[in-house]
Amino acid sequence: MDILIPIVIALITSVFGPVLLEWAKSKFKKKSADPMPDAIKYNDQIEHQLDIMLDELNCDQIFIAQFHNGGHFYPTGKSIQKFSIFYEVLSPNIESVKNVYQNIPVSLFNKPLSELYEHGEVIVEDVEMNNLYLFNTTTGGKCKSIYLLALTDLDERIIGVMGIHYIEKKHKMVKDEWIFIRQKVGAIGNIISNYLHSKK
């Protein structure tokens, strides 16, 4: 009998010990957070800001394009820099272009992007007078006035572009509109930057 008790204890420990250990681990293990609620909240914040801008500026289209990698060059493997439109708000009767402008090489928009990197803004109040941009915009030359603004992260690196388009009519921004736009560009840049940096 004295030998039987240690054998029973050893048997119980060897059979049920691992099961109890796994149960205890799963009970106290941190569950990984579901990323979807954060992504939905982030997207809602940006779309809300863009809706406010569309109403306030009485424009026809506002979009946000973000830069990303997309494929590699042969034979070096160097990353191809691309951009995609992630957000777009439109006034009624304006055709959406966000599904068309996905994974676009930045080389196709070199002139406006060079100006954007140098000045932080591209302002074309009258496209007819500056036809350089006429066919080099996301609306395929339908704009009357184009405003592109750099979105920067917390380290002042350009992470995206906000485009404000007047398709139906020309529009020259006034001082109060510029103040409003620059505040919104800063706010949206911070929202994007905070989201991107929190996911590292």
Side-chain angles (χ1 to χ4, degrees):
M1 186 72 168
D2 288 339
I3 294 178
L4 189 59
I5 291 174
I7 293 173
V8 170
I9 291 173
L11 181 63
I12 290 171
T13 305
S14 65
V15 171
F16 294 110
V19 173
L20 288 172
L21 182 62
E22 288 302 314
W23 176 82
K25 281 183 185 178
S26 69
K27 194 73 171 165
F28 296 107
K29 182 181 174 184
K30 272 188 171 178
K31 293 184 179 179
S32 59
D34 182 0
M36 287 306 293
D38 284 344
I40 290 168
K41 181 180 175 185
Y42 158 74
N43 291 325
D44 284 345
Q45 289 174 333
I46 292 178
E47 288 175 358
H48 177 69
Q49 294 295 321
L50 294 178
D51 286 335
I52 292 170
M53 291 184 72
L54 189 73
D55 290 341
E56 182 71 25
L57 297 173
N58 197 26
C59 58
D60 297 307
Q61 177 192 48
I62 302 176
F63 69 84
I64 291 178
Q66 289 180 259
F67 299 109
H68 55 86
N69 295 328
H72 298 89
F73 286 104
Y74 176 82
T76 64
K78 185 175 173 87
S79 180
I80 299 171
Q81 300 303 303
K82 294 186 176 185
F83 71 90
S84 295
I85 292 180
F86 282 79
Y87 304 94
E88 179 186 48
V89 292
L90 305 164
S91 61
N93 302 320
I94 300 298
E95 188 178 336
S96 174
V97 295
K98 73 179 174 184
N99 292 329
V100 175
Y101 287 88
Q102 299 296 312
N103 295 310
I104 305 298
V106 297
S107 60
L108 295 178
F109 290 81
N110 195 54
K111 177 71 173 158
L113 289 174
S114 294
E115 191 172 329
L116 189 71
Y117 262 81
E118 187 174 339
H119 303 291
E121 298 172 349
V122 175
I123 301 166
V124 183
E125 293 172 348
D126 185 349
V127 172
E128 291 176 5
M129 300 301 291
N130 189 347
N131 63 8
L132 179 64
Y133 294 102
L134 183 59
F135 296 107
N136 207 7
T137 69
T138 55
T139 60
K142 297 177 185 175
C143 284
K144 305 279 194 263
S145 298
I146 300 170
Y147 298 89
L148 301 176
L149 300 107
L151 296 168
T152 58
D153 68 5
L154 301 173
D155 297 321
E156 295 299 315
R157 293 176 298 201
I158 295 178
I159 55 174
V161 178
M162 177 185 290
I164 302 171
H165 291 167
Y166 289 85
I167 297 169
E168 301 289 328
K169 62 191 177 310
K170 295 176 193 171
H171 183 79
K172 181 176 180 174
M173 298 287 184
V174 296
K175 182 180 178 181
D176 288 344
E177 289 174 318
W178 277 117
I179 292 169
F180 172 77
I181 289 168
R182 290 182 178 125
Q183 287 172 342
K184 291 298 183 188
V185 164
I188 292 170
N190 283 337
I191 292 168
I192 293 172
S193 183
N194 287 334
Y195 180 75
L196 294 176
H197 285 84
S198 72
K199 299 300 166 195
K200 281 190 173 180

